[in-house]
């Protein structure tokens, strides 16, 4: 059954990556605005991405989290080549190396987190405080992003999208993991908060895509989302973090690998649509009538020039000025 779960998770990862690549392509073309809802390919990308997320959830019913989560992190390796294909080019070597570094580093960090089944409990006060922190981080990232351009802007916007996406995962974990047969917990404001946060996450994600640096925008979300989720689980839900001294050095190495891959992706050129080159001047089409008219005009000009020259010569010989018109 584990292999079935891994195959489903792989299909989900491919679907999520393809959906993200399609939506980024449309976000660059139309901008992060309401115009996106008029573009069928953006909706197709959303449906494919949502299907991939659902397949990931189904995979967790067949295989353990420690086996499924690494495949979901690997969506970055799939997404970058798919985005390059959308623009009709081959993926750059730096894209491949950077995305692999981020995926391996993040996967390494996730494997260092102890996997213990803790029933998630979250009070309303703690949930409101958590949402306040998430809103503050998202707002600050949006304000700072206005002062930057290029990869720095894409990274800042992806930070806001990543923390909001992590809040969705946190509330889903609380609602789904804390049911324990009590389906009445579904009738709670936590459940209503999930779709609202999901819409906010989609909007912020499209803003980061619209900058044009898909590699760093997607990598930023893939890094910020799980790290924020792990911290929220540890601080709010009592889930354990790696505390053993033997995990300190591997965690530092994994973090360095993740940061290095993100920097590599940030140094790439954007996937902006290139403007069409200016058309070269087209020479006029010469017809027989045009040639004849030009020849007649040249003949008349030469005749007038010869007449003026002869008149000036006669005046010089006779010592008289040429007669001027009355």
């Amino acid at each position: 059954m584990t292999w079935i779960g891994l195959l489903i998770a792989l299909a989900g990862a491919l679907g999520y990556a393809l959906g993200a690549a399609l939506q980024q392509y449309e976000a660059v073309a139309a901008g992060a605005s309401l115009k996106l809802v008029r573009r069928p390919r953006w909706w197709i990308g959303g449906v494919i991405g949502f299907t991939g997320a659902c397949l990931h959830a189904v995979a967790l019913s067949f295989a353990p989290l420690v086996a499924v989560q690494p495949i979901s992190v690997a969506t970055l390796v799939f997404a970058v080549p798919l985005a390059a294909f959308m623009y009709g080019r081959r993926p750059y070597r730096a894209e491949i190396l950077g995305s692999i570094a981020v995926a391996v580093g993040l996967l390494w960090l996730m494997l260092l987190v102890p996997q213990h089944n803790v029933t998630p409990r979250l009070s309303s006060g703690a949930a409101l405080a958590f949402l306040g922190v998430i809103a503050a981080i998202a707002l600050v990232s949006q304000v700072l992003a206005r002062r930057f351009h290029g990869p720095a802007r894409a990274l800042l916007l992806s930070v806001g999208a990543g923390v909001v996406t992590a809040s969705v995962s946190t509330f889903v974990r609380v609602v789904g993991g804390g049911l324990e047969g009590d389906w009445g917990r579904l009738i709670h404001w936590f459940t209503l908060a999930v779709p609202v946060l999901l819409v906010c996450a989609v909007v912020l994600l499209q803003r980061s895509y619209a900058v044009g640096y898909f590699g760093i925008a997607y990598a930023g979300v893939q890094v910020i989302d799980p790290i924020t989720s792990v911290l929220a689980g540890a601080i709010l839900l009592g889930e354990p973090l790696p505390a053993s001294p033997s995990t300190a050095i591997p965690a530092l190495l994994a973090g360095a690998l993740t940061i290095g891959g993100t920097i590599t992706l940030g140094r790439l050129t954007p996937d902006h649509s290139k403007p069409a080159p200016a058309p070269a001047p087209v020479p006029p089409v010469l017809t027989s009538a045009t040639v004849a008219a030009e020849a007649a005009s040249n003949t008349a000009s030469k005749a007038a020039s010869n007449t003026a020259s002869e008149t000036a010569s006669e005046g010089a010989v006779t010592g008289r000025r040429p007669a001027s018109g009355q």
Side-chain angles (χ1 to χ4, degrees), residues 241-261:
L241 282 177
S244 172
S246 61
T247 61
I249 295 179
L252 290 176
L253 293 176
L257 190 61
T258 303
I259 294 173

Side-chain angles (χ1 to χ4, degrees), residues 119-122 171 173-191:
T119 302
R121 300 292 182 185
L122 184 64
F171 277 93
R173 169 66 177 158
V174 171
V175 174
L179 287 176
E180 295 183 346
D182 183 11
W183 295 99
R185 285 179 58 87
L186 289 175
I187 308 176
H188 196 281
W189 73 267
F190 288 179
T191 307

Side-chain angles (χ1 to χ4, degrees), residues 28-294:
V28 170
S33 64
L34 291 177
K35 295 179 180 179
L36 285 173
V37 300
R38 306 174 188 172
R39 304 179 76 92
R41 186 154 44 184
W42 183 82
W43 282 105
I44 294 174
V47 171
I48 294 175
F50 181 75
T51 304
C54 292
L55 288 175
H56 177 75
V58 172
L60 289 174
S61 63
F62 290 94
L65 179 65
V66 293
V68 174
Q69 189 63 27
I71 296 179
S72 66
V73 172
T75 57
L76 180 62
V77 182
F78 298 138
V80 170
L82 285 172
F85 176 78
M86 292 291 300
Y87 287 94
R89 63 171 176 83
R90 293 182 178 179
Y92 305 127
R93 180 178 298 178
E95 283 180 317
I96 300 297
L97 295 178
S99 60
I100 291 177
V102 172
V104 172
L106 185 59
L107 168 60
W108 198 354
L109 285 174
M110 293 298 101
L111 291 179
L112 293 175
V113 178
Q115 302 294 331
H116 295 293
N117 188 14
V118 178
T119 302
R121 300 292 182 185
L122 184 64
S123 65
S124 293
L128 290 174
F130 173 62
L131 289 178
V133 173
I134 293 297
I137 295 174
L139 180 61
V140 170
S141 66
Q142 299 298 304
V143 173
L144 290 178
R146 296 181 179 180
R147 302 183 180 182
F148 293 88
H149 300 280
R153 178 180 176 86
L155 183 59
L156 286 171
L157 292 174
S158 69
V159 169
V163 295
V164 177
T165 304
S167 69
V168 176
S169 303
T170 302
F171 277 93
V172 169
R173 169 66 177 158
V174 171
V175 174
L179 287 176
E180 295 183 346
D182 183 11
W183 295 99
R185 285 179 58 87
L186 289 175
I187 308 176
H188 196 281
W189 73 267
F190 288 179
T191 307
L192 299 178
V194 171
V196 175
L197 292 172
L198 184 60
V199 171
C200 294
V202 170
V203 172
L204 295 177
L205 192 59
Q206 302 309 310
R207 284 177 56 83
S208 65
Y209 286 165
V211 180
Y213 292 81
F214 177 70
I216 194 168
Y218 193 81
V221 174
Q222 291 296 313
V223 170
I224 297 298
D225 178 8
I227 291 178
T228 305
S229 299
V230 169
L231 291 177
I235 297 173
L236 299 176
L237 308 181
E239 296 180 350
L241 282 177
S244 172
S246 61
T247 61
I249 295 179
L252 290 176
L253 293 176
L257 190 61
T258 303
I259 294 173
T262 305
I263 293 175
T264 301
L265 292 172
R267 296 171 62 89
L268 298 172
T269 57
D271 280 325
H272 293 144
S273 55
K274 297 181 180 180
V282 180
V285 180
L286 298 179
T287 62
S288 57
T290 305
V291 173
E294 289 185 356

